[in-house]
Amino acid sequence: MTPDSSGLVSRRGLRHARPVRVTILASGSGGNATLIQAGGRRVLVDAGIGPRGLADRMRRAFGRVLDLDAIVLTHPHGDHVGKVVPCAKAFDATVYLSEATKRRLSLPGLRTRVFGRNAPFDVGPIRVDPMPVPHDAPQVALVFQHKHARAAIVTDLGHVPAGLASHLDGCQLVLLESNQ
């Protein structure tokens, strides 16, 4: 199986999108971290666990510690951002965050990029499409797209807002956490 120029893999006449690989490394009140891999890039969503714990979980999941290209933050609660400074430094990763999240954090010495809560942005070949969702802190749902493959992460969702279903339309994978 080889990809054609559109990035689709043909097998017996069927065309399949190259995957956006999603690996949950940590989930829960003790810390959240999800790894997105696509197009040769690695993006960590949230950094609620430290670099040592992150490295240990990567070794268990992949047999080795992986490099990170970016860390994208969903919202400024400690279980999602509590270890972003040491993780970004340890993995030499750029931190992407909304203006509302940036106002609530101190990120000394880190490379940061601020994104609009409704403005798609790119991490290399990965398109990231945020959408504001209700929570007790400003937060975003994230859709990751590489070529024709789409995956989404929605954390701490208290209720489903208007427009979320259409934002997630076309995703082959949706991780939805609702604990409010």
Side-chain angles (χ1 to χ4, degrees):
M1 294 186 297
T2 57
D4 64 19
S5 62
S6 70
L8 298 177
V9 176
S10 178
R11 184 172 70 190
R12 287 184 253 193
L14 300 175
R15 291 165 47 114
H16 303 280
R18 282 184 164 187
V20 173
R21 184 174 182 177
V22 178
T23 306
I24 300 169
L25 298 171
S27 178
S29 58
N32 294 278
T34 302
L35 184 64
I36 307 294
Q37 298 179 81
R41 298 295 171 103
R42 296 182 184 111
V43 176
L44 187 69
V45 177
D46 291 334
I49 62 171
R52 183 178 302 144
L54 197 54
D56 289 344
R57 291 165 192 224
M58 285 181 184
R59 274 190 213 91
R60 285 197 307 247
F62 307 110
R64 64 187 176 93
V65 177
L66 304 176
D67 293 329
L68 295 178
D69 297 294
I71 300 172
V72 178
L73 302 178
T74 59
H75 66 286
H77 283 168
D79 58 327
H80 292 265
V81 302
K83 301 298 182 185
V84 66
V85 172
C87 284
K89 288 180 178 180
F91 288 92
D92 192 30
T94 300
V95 177
Y96 292 75
L97 66 170
S98 70
E99 182 62 43
T101 295
K102 185 175 184 178
R103 282 193 302 269
R104 295 175 182 222
L105 299 178
S106 174
L107 303 174
L110 299 185
R111 288 185 318 275
T112 60
R113 299 233 173 113
V114 175
F115 60 83
R117 294 181 63 198
N118 287 300
F121 61 95
D122 297 318
V123 178
I126 302 172
R127 168 57 50 115
V128 183
D129 191 1
M131 177 190 168
V133 291
H135 193 35
D136 61 359
Q139 86 159 347
V140 291
L142 299 167
V143 173
F144 296 86
Q145 182 169 338
H146 178 255
K147 301 201 180 200
H148 300 284
R150 290 171 50 93
I153 297 177
V154 186
T155 64
D156 292 354
L157 189 64
H159 68 274
V160 178
L164 183 60
S166 63
H167 186 71
L168 303 176
D169 190 42
C171 288
Q172 289 84 23
L173 173 71
V174 175
L175 294 178
L176 179 64
E177 178 201 28
S178 179
N179 62 2
Q180 299 298 309

